[in-house]
Amino acid sequence: PPSHNLEMKHLPGADPELVLLSYRYEELERIPLSDMTREEINQLVQELGFYRKETPDAPVPEEFQFAPARPLPTLPPHQAPAADGKTPPERDEGEHPDL
């Protein structure tokens, strides 16, 4: 069965490899497949988080639309610079920002 967001291209004379791309089509990783069996490749694709469809035209659940992409890591909040380009001073927890 086909997997969502997985495209297979046959390149004559090239060793088979899985090329993982970002949502911007930037290459993230290349995984050689030459020494793997079909079962091992299917297991790898499943472990990477590709959604396997029942049929080629089956709908894909919303939570898997961008699979296997992982959500971006959440960064700690930072203070935005003030209009004059300077970072505002730290405030005490009890201090009201308008004071």
Side-chain angles (χ1 to χ4, degrees):
S3 294
H4 179 63
N5 285 341
L6 181 68
E7 182 178 329
M8 189 162 163
K9 291 185 180 181
H10 294 279
L11 301 176
D15 288 333
E17 60 186 356
L18 177 63
V19 180
L20 300 174
L21 304 174
S22 72
Y23 69 94
R24 293 181 181 161
Y25 298 99
E26 298 164 328
E27 185 175 314
L28 300 174
E29 184 178 0
R30 286 182 179 256
I31 302 170
L33 303 175
S34 297
D35 297 330
M36 299 176 76
T37 65
R38 179 180 291 238
E39 291 77 26
E40 290 171 328
I41 294 169
N42 286 337
Q43 180 67 32
L44 173 64
V45 168
Q46 184 178 11
E47 289 171 3
L48 289 171
F50 285 92
Y51 178 76
R52 184 169 240 160
K53 301 192 298 185
E54 296 294 324
T55 63
D57 58 344
V60 177
E62 187 174 333
E63 65 269 21
F64 292 106
Q65 286 296 317
F66 297 104
R70 305 291 189 263
L72 294 174
T74 55
L75 301 175
H78 70 284
Q79 289 185 319
D84 61 4
K86 297 179 184 175
T87 302
E90 294 287 327
R91 300 190 187 278
D92 291 335
E93 278 187 40
E95 186 180 347
H96 192 279
D98 294 335
L99 298 178

